[in-house]
Amino acid sequence: MKRVARGLGLGIAGWLIGLNLAAVIRGTQHVNDQANIGIAYVFALSGWLLGVGVWDAWVRGWLGLKPKAEEPDEGWRRYFSFCTDHKVIGIQYLVTFVIVFLIAGLLAMFMRWELMSAGETIMNKATFNEIMSLHGILMISVAVAGVLGGFGNYLVPLQIGADDMAFPRLNALSYWLIPPVAIMLLLAPLAGGFDSGWTAYPPLSETNDVGQVFFILAIITFGLSSILGGLNLLTTVTTMRAKGMKWSRLPIFTWSVFSASILSVLITQFFAASLLMVFLGRAIGMGFFDAAKGGDPILYQHLFWFYSHPAVYIMILPGFGILLEVLSHFSRKPLFAYKLTVGAFLAIVVLSVVVWAHHMFTSGMSNTLHGPFMILTEAISVPTGIIFLSALGTIWRGKLWLKTPMLFALAMVFNFLIGGITGIFLADVATDMNLQDTYFVVAHFHYTIMGGEIFAFFAGIYYWYPKVTGRMYNEAMGKIHAIWMFIGFNAVFIPLFYVGVQGMNRRVADYPLAYERGNLVASISAFVLGCSFLLFTWNMIWSRFKGEKAPSNPWNATTLEWMTESPPPEHNFEGTPVVHDSPYVYGLEDGLHAELGEQEPELVGAGRPE
Amino acid sequence: MSKRPWLAPAILWVVLTGLGLWLVTTFSFYPPRFAHEANVSDDAFQLLLILAVPVFAFVIAMMISSLISGKTASEPSEDGPYLPGNQTAVGVWMVITVSLTILIIINPGLVGLAHMRGSDEADMVVEISGAKWAWTVKYPEQGAIASKEMVLPVHKRIRFEVTSKDVIHSFWIPGFRIKIDAVPGKTTVTTATPDKTGSYETEVGLRLQCAELCGLNHASMMMPVRVVEEAEFESWIAKTREEASKLPEDCPTLSDNVKISAFNIAFDTKCLVVPAGKPIKVTFDNKEAIPHNFSIYSDPEYENSLSKGEIFSGPAERSFTIGPFEAGDDRFQCDLHPIPAMRGFFVVREGA
Ligand SMILES: [Cu+2]
Ligand SMILES: [Cu+2]
């Protein structure tokens, strides 16, 4: 708490110092000078980070100062400190991104309210464009970091039998980079907001209000956090596995996090770099994307989608991981075709970086690019198909225990099936020429990201809730939430496919009267969907305090996180995990994934590979 | 467990596939088509839909039958069978998914691509220019310009040459199913062959809609489209040209101090009359948050520039001095929106 206050103080001080220093040195007076804002932000971010923990965790050591005695934070205060425990950081991510999800969801409700009928209803076009853009980027951040940062941090060390992440301090830093992102995005409306969507295509993003600069600075920071987080997860999985935890014995969720992290580390900088180029264009007139200065607006789209297409796999791969994990444990059956599925994850990682231009079939890019990108994009249906094979093979003849996580997982199979199939229509040039930038696209990516990843996210929340909080959630409320959210979600987005095919384009504050009926249905359903999250929120808060005490393994699941108390002790395991077999040993007389061995002195706190 | 566990899902799959195929072939949800390209696009859509039905039905059949045979509300007392894989199932699955993928890559994939993007040859060229937040349509071969509606002759292959004056817009006619971005600094090309007459008043798909987010009024960056018989097209062109060259009857009296204002992407006057050989004071009131300027040209093609005005966004008023000019029927326009509503006569007279 003290550190957060110190970080905020130093952050604000840094902002003011940077702004004035830049103004004096550059001889500019104007408050809105964009270069000055950029410089001020660097000062503010440094101040925030130093105050919140970087000074104590790193800088004192570099300067040869005496390390400061750790003030042991207790209870809830731990969550407001530069805590290096991966479980605390996981919870910090989870709570932060659930809150961001609810805020961005609320913005979506306002958009659906405005779009309920043709004509201006509750807001003008400027406000709509800003709300739409803010909704987009907030949800993107939830999708990128909610599962990976939240569950990745909390569960990967537990699933591989480690006592923490490879770089605990770096892990804390990755999290504490997030609050400035949220602050900048939410403060942007004070500087005119940004109305260029989450895609921020120049020249629009180079000529709109100063709020766009806030967006750019926030997203570059967010990218830094993603890269550091991904690096940490990769190193952790590579070097911190318990004795006997071969690559072929990794739980599928850990594999999915590992695959997504490869992408995080390799591609995030392309988004950051393209936004930096937009910033330089705005602030000092560098014309990377300005045709009049020899630049090319389409170049931005190549750079942007080089990140942003694989980014959807950063989002969905961990979703697949949760899905398959839940399906196996709640069907009491081994994960079907485990090795092939891991191969599919890795094939997706490779293919995902060579398909980006399918977002650009109508951009005016060279005609020679259409064929190759269409072929490569459609080739992704093969590894994606393998994931369906694994899911179906796993539930086939299983004993399906219909708990809340299982309901969400089954719902996700249905949703992602629709999301995947409609993706083909957008990968095909002849249909995409018409469907690009229509509501068909909106419905499609909501089916993959919300219907897919976010449903998996909720499956994960209910699945691991007992482990994380030590309490059981309310099962009846959980099941009602799952069914309610499933029906509400489909009732919103099926009509949007329809209005898209009928010819309604996306990102519009208004539309021709002909599309009113489908929009009305979608809007009413959106309120139904929105209300389901009230039930969820209540269940989470109520159960945290009043829920039944959770046993260490309420689901009778096999993976290592269920072999320790709920919640796990600070060093994760009482004893040294030793892995004997695959995690999915259902249906075997003598199946044993792992056990906790004696506390061997030379192995304490290590869990290094054999 | 029955001896034939696959029988129930197989029957369910056949039933669901049949039902699905009946649905997608009986109910057509495509909006009306007005061009050859629309048929290509909708045929591709329909083919993909038909191929998707058995795939969708298979997943649903497997889920439903697994649920019916295996669901329990309380914790299962025993595990399911140890089935970590099955070579035959995996092999069949791979063969089917790879074949389907190759099939859709060839048709509708590459076949559709060849249709939509095969050649830029055309009977007629139409130049499209987007600027926040209006379209200008120029018929270079006919020498006409339109800004209120785009009129096209039926059964002619038309090449649209598209560009933008500011940010990226996108040229989309839903009834034609074609779309291409309008990119500043370059000309992008798409073709369409309208094959049915109609107009926006009755067909919402006949509109030129901006499909790429372009700022404030993106949603209303739209122009009605009308497809007509060739004779009607010719007479419309003639009428448009005549209107553009006719000096309005209500030209104001001569003055060297002129006022002009812009609102709703239109100037408030079609005609200004100024004295020759004298500097002219112009007061330009831009009443909206859309950038405009005020430039003078000596010819009706707006190619020979006599004075370029500063581009600025409103609401703001600027005064500046231009000229002096020689006597003649000059023209003025907003260079960002070279549409009839932002064009007019700049008549320079001797004497007085
Ligand atoms: Cu536009
Ligand atoms: Cu103008």
Side-chain angles (χ1 to χ4, degrees):
Chain A
M1 237 14 213
K2 233 165 65 191
R3 278 196 174 135
V4 174
R6 201 167 65 191
L8 276 176
L10 285 178
I12 293 167
W15 178 266
L16 295 173
I17 292 169
L19 208 54
N20 286 298
L21 207 64
V24 170
I25 293 172
R26 299 184 62 241
T28 47
Q29 306 289 313
H30 204 287
V31 207
N32 272 354
D33 185 278
Q34 305 186 17
N36 292 2
I37 290 178
I39 294 167
Y41 179 71
V42 173
F43 275 76
L45 186 66
S46 312
W48 158 260
L49 291 176
L50 284 173
V52 88
V54 168
W55 177 267
D56 290 338
W58 275 284
V59 183
R60 288 186 73 91
W62 297 340
L63 299 178
L65 294 174
K66 248 197 358 233
K68 215 165 171 189
E70 277 288 324
E71 22 173 338
D73 281 312
E74 290 296 329
W76 62 273
R77 282 197 177 80
R78 282 157 55 90
Y79 299 102
F80 292 90
S81 72
F82 199 81
C83 182
T84 55
D85 182 345
H86 72 100
K87 298 184 289 301
V88 171
I89 295 168
I91 292 171
Q92 286 171 332
Y93 267 104
L94 285 171
V95 173
T96 306
F97 282 103
V98 166
I99 291 171
V100 174
F101 174 80
L102 295 175
I103 293 172
L106 203 61
L107 294 177
M109 313 264 290
F110 281 108
M111 285 156 68
R112 284 315 321 169
W113 189 356
E114 168 61 38
L115 293 172
M116 191 142 69
S117 54
E120 209 169 274
T121 327
I122 56 161
M123 59 179 92
N124 59 30
K125 285 179 183 149
T127 313
F128 181 91
N129 291 348
E130 281 171 32
I131 287 187
M132 177 270 295
S133 304
L134 192 57
H135 164 80
I137 194 65
L138 289 178
M139 283 302 195
I140 291 288
S141 72
V142 173
V144 166
V147 176
L148 203 56
F151 288 133
N153 269 311
Y154 196 98
L155 287 152
V156 164
L158 284 167
Q159 286 199 328
I160 64 172
D163 61 346
D164 205 332
M165 296 279 277
F167 308 117
R169 286 185 303 182
L170 200 63
N171 202 14
L173 178 63
S174 317
Y175 173 74
W176 286 105
L177 281 166
I178 301 288
V181 178
I183 291 170
M184 290 301 274
L185 288 178
L186 295 171
L187 284 184
L190 297 182
F194 48 92
D195 61 355
S196 57
W198 81 276
T199 48
Y201 280 10
L204 181 59
S205 61
E206 285 190 352
T207 49
N208 56 358
D209 267 321
V210 181
Q212 189 73 49
V213 172
F214 284 57
F215 170 97
I216 291 169
L217 297 169
I219 297 310
I220 291 176
T221 313
F222 185 60
L224 181 59
S225 164
S226 288
I227 294 172
L228 296 178
L231 207 61
N232 209 345
L233 284 162
L234 285 183
T235 316
T236 305
V237 177
T238 310
T239 64
M240 305 272 289
R241 281 168 290 135
K243 200 173 168 189
M245 181 62 90
K246 299 181 184 168
W247 287 98
S248 59
R249 292 175 182 168
L250 277 185
I252 198 71
F253 174 68
T254 296
W255 259 118
S256 72
V257 167
F258 184 81
S259 316
S261 299
I262 297 175
L263 287 173
S264 267
V265 169
L266 289 183
I267 57 160
T268 307
Q269 52 274 39
F270 286 86
F271 193 9
S274 53
L275 286 180
L276 185 63
M277 288 153 94
V278 170
F279 175 74
L280 292 172
R282 296 184 64 113
I284 49 177
M286 287 187 173
F288 294 106
F289 308 124
D290 183 347
K293 292 178 180 168
D296 184 355
I298 295 181
L299 173 65
Y300 172 88
Q301 297 173 30
H302 282 294
L303 288 169
F304 173 83
W305 288 114
F306 190 78
Y307 163 76
S308 293
H309 187 75
V312 307
Y313 292 99
I314 296 181
M315 303 170 195
I316 195 66
L317 281 171
F320 288 150
I322 296 178
L323 168 79
L324 297 175
E325 198 78 57
V326 167
L327 286 181
S328 170
H329 299 306
F330 286 83
S331 303
R332 323 291 313 161
K333 271 193 66 207
L335 186 68
F336 190 79
Y338 168 91
K339 283 190 180 164
L340 188 66
T341 307
V342 171
F345 284 176
L346 298 175
I348 286 176
V349 168
V350 174
L351 276 176
S352 73
V353 293
V354 291
V355 300
W356 74 91
H358 65 226
H359 293 271
M360 300 166 59
F361 286 152
T362 66
S363 70
M365 68 179 183
S366 160
N367 264 346
T368 51
L369 293 176
H370 288 75
F373 276 100
M374 180 180 69
I375 293 169
L376 287 163
T377 303
E378 292 182 347
I380 283 203
S381 20
V382 174
T384 310
I386 293 174
I387 288 156
F388 276 98
L389 170 70
S390 177
L392 295 177
T394 303
I395 58 172
W396 171 244
R397 294 174 62 194
K399 306 272 182 255
L400 275 59
W401 190 15
L402 295 184
K403 288 287 192 182
T404 308
M406 186 63 165
L407 294 183
F408 273 104
L410 293 170
M412 177 196 171
V413 175
F414 178 87
N415 295 338
F416 196 82
L417 178 62
I418 295 180
I421 287 176
T422 50
I424 303 273
F425 292 77
L426 297 170
D428 183 82
V429 176
T431 43
D432 185 65
M433 284 289 151
N434 180 43
L435 298 172
Q436 167 70 353
D437 273 316
T438 65
Y439 260 83
F440 190 91
V441 177
V442 174
H444 157 73
F445 72 71
H446 279 89
Y447 262 95
T448 54
I449 302 305
M450 183 171 181
E453 191 209 1
I454 297 296
F455 269 72
F457 187 41
F458 280 96
I461 288 175
Y462 285 103
Y463 178 51
W464 285 302
Y465 189 86
K467 180 55 60 190
V468 173
T469 63
R471 305 260 181 179
M472 299 304 291
Y473 60 86
N474 182 300
E475 188 65 49
M477 270 199 263
K479 280 182 178 163
I480 295 172
H481 174 217
I483 294 165
W484 188 347
M485 186 169 150
F486 176 67
I487 293 172
F489 169 77
N490 279 282
V492 175
F493 291 101
I494 292 278
L496 293 184
F497 277 125
Y498 178 76
V499 295
V501 171
Q502 293 308 303
M504 175 170 166
N505 52 314
R506 65 188 282 214
R507 291 171 157 174
V508 285
D510 195 7
Y511 50 82
L513 206 58
Y515 308 124
E516 201 169 39
R517 211 153 28 125
N519 276 288
L520 179 65
V521 176
S523 288
I524 291 170
S525 310
F527 296 123
V528 173
L529 175 62
C531 289
S532 75
F533 297 110
L534 296 177
L535 188 68
F536 162 76
T537 310
W538 171 249
N539 194 356
M540 292 296 109
I541 295 172
W542 184 84
S543 305
R544 170 69 188 79
F545 299 103
K546 295 278 155 81
E548 225 178 286
K549 281 252 185 299
S552 63
N553 190 359
W555 315 124
N556 213 354
T558 47
T559 44
L560 267 165
E561 77 265 30
W562 302 107
M563 293 189 189
T564 183
E565 286 163 54
S566 303
E570 207 180 320
H571 47 281
N572 288 352
F573 298 99
E574 304 288 357
T576 310
V578 181
V579 180
H580 300 292
D581 203 346
S582 145
Y584 308 107
V585 286
Y586 295 106
L588 292 174
E589 286 290 303
D590 52 352
L592 180 65
H593 169 51
E595 61 187 333
L596 296 184
E598 287 302 304
Q599 193 92 357
E600 293 169 53
E602 69 269 26
L603 277 172
V604 169
R608 307 288 159 190
E610 45 190 346
Chain B
M1 181 53 59
S2 71
K3 278 192 189 133
R4 295 198 182 107
W6 45 266
L7 195 61
I11 293 171
L12 195 55
W13 176 59
V14 171
V15 171
L16 286 177
T17 303
L19 186 69
L21 288 176
W22 177 74
L23 277 173
V24 300
T25 49
T26 309
F27 298 99
S28 171
F29 45 82
Y30 304 104
R33 291 175 281 265
F34 290 90
H36 167 69
E37 286 68 17
N39 294 313
V40 176
S41 179
D42 283 3
D43 287 349
F45 195 106
Q46 183 71 13
L47 179 56
L48 289 175
L49 204 57
I50 286 171
L51 290 173
V53 166
V55 176
F56 185 79
F58 179 76
V59 176
I60 300 302
M62 285 291 287
M63 281 175 66
I64 290 178
S65 51
S66 299
L67 262 173
I68 288 175
S69 69
K71 72 167 189 331
T72 62
S74 54
E75 187 172 356
S77 49
E78 49 169 5
D79 287 354
Y82 180 73
L83 254 180
N86 177 316
Q87 270 192 13
T88 320
V90 171
V92 170
W93 181 276
M94 292 308 291
V95 168
I96 291 177
T97 53
V98 170
S99 318
L100 273 177
T101 305
I102 293 172
L103 176 64
I104 58 165
I105 285 173
I106 295 170
N107 189 23
L110 294 169
V111 173
L113 176 63
H115 264 95
M116 294 297 252
R117 284 248 160 270
S119 145
D120 289 340
E121 293 294 305
D123 307 325
M124 179 182 156
V125 174
V126 175
E127 291 174 13
I128 308 285
S129 164
K132 288 178 186 171
W133 288 276
W135 295 103
T136 306
V137 179
K138 197 168 165 188
Y139 300 81
E141 290 148 6
Q142 288 77 5
I145 288 180
S147 71
K148 289 206 176 64
E149 65 171 347
M150 174 160 78
V151 179
L152 298 171
V154 70
H155 302 310
K156 282 251 158 85
R157 187 170 160 92
I158 299 162
R159 181 166 76 240
F160 296 99
E161 299 184 351
V162 184
T163 191
S164 163
K165 293 195 179 284
D166 41 39
V167 302
I168 296 175
H169 303 275
S170 191
F171 169 90
W172 179 41
I173 302 174
F176 292 1
R177 314 282 194 272
I178 53 155
K179 184 180 288 126
I180 192 80
D181 282 4
V183 184
K186 73 196 300 168
T187 301
T188 55
V189 170
T190 189
T191 52
T193 313
D195 59 3
K196 206 161 93 189
T197 58
S199 75
Y200 176 66
E201 279 111 68
T202 51
E203 296 296 344
V204 70
L206 281 178
R207 66 188 205 276
L208 197 187
Q209 174 75 55
C210 176
E212 182 62 65
L213 180 61
C214 58
L216 184 63
N217 288 324
H218 166 56
S220 44
M221 185 165 168
M222 187 275 284
M223 177 192 252
V225 173
R226 188 152 57 97
V227 180
V228 297
E229 297 294 342
E230 190 163 3
E232 196 181 342
F233 175 73
E234 299 296 345
S235 68
W236 175 80
I237 287 281
K239 202 176 104 217
T240 308
R241 287 181 53 164
E242 190 194 314
E243 270 171 18
S245 60
K246 202 166 63 187
L247 201 65
E249 277 157 20
D250 54 342
C251 274
T253 49
L254 182 136
S255 163
D256 61 357
N257 186 354
V258 296
K259 286 191 166 55
I260 187 159
S261 68
F263 189 63
N264 275 339
I265 318 189
F267 283 130
D268 63 340
T269 178
K270 289 243 150 272
C271 184
L272 295 168
V273 185
V274 298
K278 269 179 140 185
I280 313 294
K281 188 177 175 225
V282 179
T283 307
F284 180 15
D285 183 12
N286 182 356
K287 293 186 181 332
E288 61 189 341
I290 297 176
H292 298 293
N293 77 341
F294 177 78
S295 294
I296 310 294
Y297 295 81
S298 66
D299 58 320
E301 260 68 58
Y302 293 82
E303 271 156 11
N304 188 9
S305 165
L306 298 178
S307 147
K308 275 248 180 259
E310 178 203 357
I311 296 170
F312 67 98
S313 269
E317 193 180 272
R318 304 267 162 102
S319 293
F320 43 91
T321 307
I322 56 172
F325 302 99
E326 290 169 18
D329 279 357
D330 297 340
R331 311 290 167 114
F332 67 82
Q333 77 168 2
C334 163
D335 292 322
L336 290 176
H337 306 96
I339 56 176
M342 296 208 85
R343 284 181 157 177
F345 286 90
F346 192 75
V347 184
V348 187
R349 292 232 173 98
E350 292 286 2

